[in-house]
Amino acid sequence: PTPQAAALVAIDVAKQRNEVLIEVPDARRRRRLTVANTRAEHDRLVAELQALARPVTVGFEPTGHYHRPLAWRLVRAGFDVRLISSVALARTREALHNGWDKNDPKDAQVILHMLRIGAAKPYHDPLEHGINDIQELSMTHEVVSKAKTEALHRIQTHYLPLYFPEVDRFRNNTRSDWFFALLERFPVPASITALSKEAFIEAAWDVAGRKVSKARLLGDIYETAQSSIALPIPADAPAITMFRLVLAEARHLIQQRDTIERLAGELLGEHADFQRLQQVPGIGPINALAILAEAGDLRRFGHHRQFLKFCSLDLATHQSGQFRGKTKLSKRGNARLRRTLWMAAQVAIRQRENSFRAKFERYVAKDREDPDLRRKAFTAITAKMARVVHAIIKSGGDYRPFVEGPVPGGRTPLYRSRQGASATL
């Protein structure tokens, strides 16, 4: 709720300047300012708000990253800073003005109205709460991973079908640099068959890295090159130079990703929440990094339902009169966090024994081939993953694969016999 005696400040953020609207209780008129994104103008705004000599609540709509410097200054000045949802702002503007017309002063008026009715949420500044470095590592890792995937797809769908189609079966995972290094050295079958089998194995021995049965693997690649259907392009042709250029890009992106993961391990190696999250099945270092980057301190969510809503995993239903639509995920929250939990759930249900797989098996026991039932099961496991993550961080305890339920006497059962009787402590 918005304090009754607080001055309300609405800011419509833009790249070059910000439209500011100030409303002070009992004042006859609102005050309008235009604040440029300069140090002097930010200082002027902070001084203007401090001169009010009363509590100040500031609201703004997040706009790219342009709001971050000004928001940090306002947080450091001690003001109550709040976020306005972009979707809620658009819907409220249409309802108040009965039209889709949009401009910066009008947006500031709508933000002020939403602050007045309490339709805002607290702003969690990454720099103030010490998660700015974690966010940068996580976001950069995602950008580099996407770029590496795009480079791999270009190699698979364009270059390999032309210059060495059969070699793709030797690529066993996306984290290996040896495959791209081998192609960079021997991009076409002719560059392999120009050597004898023994000479090729000797030349590619160090390039192939540490492999089990390396001689057999390289020998198989040599035999494959002998019968390849690749186009007869010489290894020094400009087209192969372009092929090598893309291979070098893929190798560079792999090195960048490895560097980011090493830095993340150094930064969060002693972080208690980072270590605790990795106890949960399906959550490795990268997923744990993404969860901490997107959610920050999970202890700020008083109940797991608040965290589910933040992850956009809360349920919503469209109902009117006698009509009731399907209940589905609202998807009004952090999409990247929801995707991270979804991927962690996918990994967890493929492990041997844990409560996630047990719940999934119970969910799909009725019909394992029903795709709709499996989709609902995946969603249920993702929500369970979010609840478990919130619980272990908030409680500070370690993850327990199977939590024992209490028996009527209040004691914990050691096991349950086939006849249903429990042995207790």
Side-chain angles (χ1 to χ4, degrees), residues 298-352:
L298 276 74
R299 297 171 186 84
R300 63 194 176 102
F301 301 100
H303 196 275
H304 72 263
R305 290 194 184 93
Q306 296 176 349
F307 183 56
L308 287 175
K309 191 165 187 177
F310 183 80
C311 302
S312 62
L313 288 170
D314 57 316
L315 299 178
T317 305
H318 180 70
Q319 186 270 338
S320 177
Q322 299 298 319
F323 171 79
R324 183 180 179 86
K326 290 184 178 180
T327 299
K328 57 182 69 176
L329 294 181
S330 69
K331 295 188 179 180
R332 289 290 192 271
N334 193 307
R336 186 165 180 260
L337 185 55
R338 182 179 75 249
R339 185 187 63 201
T340 300
L341 295 171
W342 176 278
M343 297 302 297
Q346 301 293 310
V347 176
I349 63 174
R350 286 167 174 79
Q351 297 180 0
R352 288 192 174 182

Side-chain angles (χ1 to χ4, degrees), residues 232-423:
I233 307 295
D236 57 350
I240 303 304
T241 302
M242 296 300 99
F243 184 20
R244 283 194 167 109
L245 190 66
V246 177
L247 289 170
E249 179 190 0
R251 295 191 64 192
H252 181 61
L253 290 170
I254 291 176
Q255 294 172 4
Q256 285 187 334
R257 184 181 60 183
D258 293 341
T259 300
I260 294 172
E261 292 175 359
R262 176 180 56 81
L263 290 175
E266 294 174 358
L267 178 65
L268 298 173
E270 303 299 326
H271 197 288
D273 292 348
F274 182 71
Q275 296 175 350
R276 193 170 288 116
L277 284 173
Q278 294 182 70
Q279 298 175 1
V280 182
I283 297 182
I286 300 305
N287 283 340
L289 176 68
I291 291 172
L292 292 177
E294 296 300 321
D297 187 3
L298 276 74
R299 297 171 186 84
R300 63 194 176 102
F301 301 100
H303 196 275
H304 72 263
R305 290 194 184 93
Q306 296 176 349
F307 183 56
L308 287 175
K309 191 165 187 177
F310 183 80
C311 302
S312 62
L313 288 170
D314 57 316
L315 299 178
T317 305
H318 180 70
Q319 186 270 338
S320 177
Q322 299 298 319
F323 171 79
R324 183 180 179 86
K326 290 184 178 180
T327 299
K328 57 182 69 176
L329 294 181
S330 69
K331 295 188 179 180
R332 289 290 192 271
N334 193 307
R336 186 165 180 260
L337 185 55
R338 182 179 75 249
R339 185 187 63 201
T340 300
L341 295 171
W342 176 278
M343 297 302 297
Q346 301 293 310
V347 176
I349 63 174
R350 286 167 174 79
Q351 297 180 0
R352 288 192 174 182
E353 290 187 3
N354 57 64
S355 59
F356 300 100
R357 175 163 183 165
K359 180 172 182 175
F360 180 80
E361 294 294 337
R362 291 194 305 268
Y363 213 108
V364 301
K366 184 177 180 181
D367 185 0
R368 299 186 61 85
E369 304 303 323
D370 184 356
D372 186 60
L373 185 62
R374 293 180 67 86
R375 177 183 57 80
K376 292 179 180 178
F378 288 139
T379 304
I381 300 305
T382 305
K384 177 181 174 66
M385 180 69 68
R387 292 194 299 270
V388 170
V389 164
H390 177 262
I392 64 172
I393 296 301
K394 185 178 179 181
S395 65
D398 294 334
Y399 169 76
R400 300 171 64 187
F402 293 95
V403 179
E404 300 88 352
V407 295
R411 294 171 292 178
T412 303
L414 292 177
Y415 65 90
R416 184 171 295 277
S417 67
R418 294 183 179 180
Q419 292 77 17
S422 297

Side-chain angles (χ1 to χ4, degrees), residues 30-87:
R30 300 169 180 171
R31 186 175 179 186
R32 179 172 295 171
L33 299 174
T34 298
V35 178
N37 281 320
T38 63
R39 178 65 181 268
E41 288 289 280
H42 288 186
D43 290 341
R44 180 172 71 89
L45 176 61
V46 171
E48 292 274 357
L49 298 182
Q50 289 175 340
L52 297 176
R54 62 170 63 232
V56 176
T57 300
V58 183
F60 61 88
E61 175 194 7
T63 306
H65 292 284
Y66 300 126
H67 65 279
R68 288 279 303 275
L70 178 58
W72 181 77
R73 291 294 309 280
L74 295 172
V75 170
R76 294 291 294 174
F79 302 129
D80 179 17
V81 183
R82 303 188 182 185
L83 283 178
I84 303 294
S85 166
S86 300
V87 175

